[in-house]
Amino acid sequence: MAKIRIKDIAEMSGVSVGTVDRVLHDRPNVSPDARKKVEEVLAKINFKPNIYASALAYNKDYTFYVILPEHSSEAYWSEIEEGVKKAVEHRNDFNINVEILYYKRYESEDFISKCTACIEAKPSAVVLVPTFPEITKTFTDKLHASNIPLILLDSYIPELNPLSFFGQDSFSSGYFAAKMLMLLASDDKRIAIVKQKKDGKVSSRQQENREIGFRNYMRSHFPNVEILELDLPLDVSNEQYSELLEAFFDEHEDIHHCITLSSKAYLVGEFLLQTRRSDVKIMGYDMVPRNAECLRKGSISFLIAQHAFMQGFHAIDSLFKYLAFKQEVKSVNYMPIELLSKENVDFYHRTLI
């Protein structure tokens, strides 16, 4: 069958080429009668436009704002940034710009400042790691009022009405983590959870939900195992971390297995390697390089991969498809829960499909 041109559709409909173009791109200034004629012809010939070519010809600029917590290079968030950059590179035929804003994780005024800057910039869409629930809701309400699409990472909060969410099911992840840890610690009477806190709070709702899932499994399957907590403050020196860990393990010599619910399992793993404490093993999250090295050397038993790179990539690419191609976006996109050990860590890849 010969290729159908817009000119052909115009002749068959009895309207101008400009009218057909406006109908195809769902633009205004088309009379109901003319629109009906064009749509009848499109249905008759089963017309399927080349969406990619159409979007490319439209040559629109897209500016996406990504709002993340400030972080070190050895963090889950760095992988998200790499995924964001890869998505822009993947769509290099189009005019996509990404601006990343960093907020101080426990400072509400700084978060408000970054959100205000984002609103004032009038972006095409926003990717957000939420924090401070009430303040975040105020910001996302403004986005919705301006018809700016929103994608959430890290924590799924339905009341923020995001277009989509990319991340793990935190409860299931914590439940799974407990199940895997107790394969090693089934004979232990006590285990430990190591947390990083500031002013008595962990850094995200995601970690809170992981702990809920973890404790749910323990109550159901190991109700007699005592769970101790060790809080490590944020932003202190390695020497201070070592002192806190030394004191904890000296006081609790029967603790042989523990878990961290953040991406910094290496804080404990490196301490164990330096002090040659081979009787203690830990489990943690995220394939950051220092975690992976501890896994290879044996101080970390398992890591749960979050696929942060995938989250960053798909967040940007989904927004682009939604805006440029008018494609629907799945509302909740849970990343796979993968368990990494020293035997398979070197085969872990940043899968995009």
Side-chain angles (χ1 to χ4, degrees):
M1 181 178 178
K3 182 177 179 180
I4 299 292
R5 302 168 300 173
I6 290 180
K7 180 180 178 181
D8 300 325
I9 298 170
E11 291 177 354
M12 295 168 70
S13 306
V15 300
S16 69
V17 170
T19 296
V20 175
D21 184 73
R22 286 193 291 275
V23 171
L24 289 174
H25 293 91
D26 197 26
R27 295 178 187 140
N29 302 320
V30 179
S31 70
D33 183 58
R35 183 178 294 277
K36 181 180 179 182
K37 289 179 180 179
V38 174
E39 289 176 346
E40 286 177 349
V41 170
L42 294 177
K44 182 178 180 180
I45 65 175
N46 193 27
F47 179 77
K48 291 183 175 60
N50 185 331
I51 297 175
Y52 191 92
S54 178
L56 191 60
Y58 194 49
N59 199 33
K60 184 176 179 178
D61 290 340
Y62 300 94
T63 299
F64 301 145
Y65 268 60
V66 180
I67 305 178
L68 299 175
E70 285 187 352
H71 57 274
S72 66
S73 60
E74 291 288 340
Y76 153 77
W77 314 109
S78 298
E79 280 283 293
I80 286 178
E81 288 187 50
E82 289 299 316
V84 165
K85 293 173 185 176
K86 187 66 177 179
V88 174
E89 179 186 324
H90 179 66
R91 297 292 182 182
N92 62 7
D93 288 344
F94 297 87
N95 300 318
I96 302 176
N97 301 297
V98 170
E99 297 289 338
I100 301 179
L101 300 179
Y102 304 97
Y103 62 85
K104 294 180 174 63
R105 199 171 305 182
Y106 296 94
E107 297 183 17
S108 59
E109 291 300 320
D110 190 59
F111 182 72
I112 292 171
S113 172
K114 299 305 188 294
C115 291
T116 300
C118 177
I119 289 290
E120 290 175 350
K122 298 180 180 178
S124 308
V126 172
V127 178
L128 173 67
V129 174
T131 187
F132 305 109
E134 292 184 4
I135 298 173
T136 302
K137 180 75 162 56
T138 299
F139 171 56
T140 57
D141 284 348
K142 291 178 180 178
L143 293 179
H144 296 316
S146 300
N147 294 315
I148 298 174
L150 165 70
I151 283 184
L152 295 181
L153 302 180
D154 187 58
S155 300
Y156 179 45
I157 307 176
E159 56 266 31
L160 298 182
N161 297 314
L163 173 68
S164 185
F165 164 76
F166 289 88
Q168 279 192 346
D169 181 332
S170 301
F171 178 91
S172 296
S173 176
Y175 193 94
F176 174 77
K179 186 174 184 178
M180 295 300 100
L181 182 66
M182 296 314 293
L183 292 177
L184 303 176
S186 58
D187 295 329
D188 291 8
K189 295 181 180 179
R190 299 201 291 181
I191 61 173
I193 295 179
V194 181
K195 304 178 184 180
Q196 274 204 299
K197 289 184 176 182
K198 184 171 183 179
D199 300 327
K201 298 178 181 179
V202 295
S203 61
S204 70
R205 183 180 289 193
Q206 182 192 57
Q207 291 182 49
E208 293 174 355
N209 289 337
R210 284 176 186 165
E211 184 172 349
I212 292 170
F214 185 92
R215 290 184 179 275
N216 186 281
Y217 178 86
M218 294 301 295
R219 280 195 301 270
S220 299
H221 296 85
F222 292 89
N224 297 321
V225 173
E226 183 182 1
I227 302 175
L228 302 184
E229 292 189 17
L230 170 60
D231 294 342
L232 299 179
L234 283 171
D235 304 322
V236 301
S237 67
N238 288 335
E239 290 76 14
Q240 289 173 287
Y241 284 134
S242 294
E243 290 173 4
L244 291 168
L245 290 165
E246 188 81 48
F248 179 81
F249 288 116
D250 282 348
E251 182 180 353
H252 306 290
E253 294 183 350
D254 61 334
I255 294 292
H256 301 295
H257 296 93
C258 55
I259 186 167
T260 68
L261 299 175
S262 72
S263 62
K264 294 187 177 181
Y266 62 81
L267 292 176
V268 186
E270 291 174 352
F271 164 80
L272 297 175
L273 292 172
Q274 291 164 4
T275 56
R276 300 181 184 276
R277 287 178 177 259
S278 59
D279 61 323
V280 180
K281 294 290 187 294
I282 65 173
M283 182 173 173
Y285 278 80
D286 299 323
M287 252 293 291
V288 298
R290 288 168 74 179
N291 279 349
E293 189 60 21
C294 288
L295 189 65
R296 294 184 185 100
K297 292 181 177 179
S299 61
I300 293 179
S301 299
F302 295 116
L303 288 172
I304 293 179
Q306 283 198 84
H307 292 279
F309 180 86
M310 288 172 60
Q311 292 179 45
F313 181 93
H314 287 304
I316 296 298
D317 204 52
S318 294
L319 284 173
F320 172 74
K321 291 176 181 176
Y322 176 77
L323 292 171
F325 297 162
K326 312 302 180 186
Q327 290 185 7
E328 291 187 10
V329 178
K330 186 178 177 182
S331 60
V332 178
N333 300 272
Y334 285 129
M335 298 292 102
I337 300 173
E338 291 189 356
L339 192 68
L340 304 178
S341 68
K342 66 179 180 181
E343 288 78 19
N344 70 350
V345 64
D346 292 324
F347 303 103
Y348 175 80
H349 298 291
R350 294 166 160 179
T351 307
L352 293 177
I353 56 174

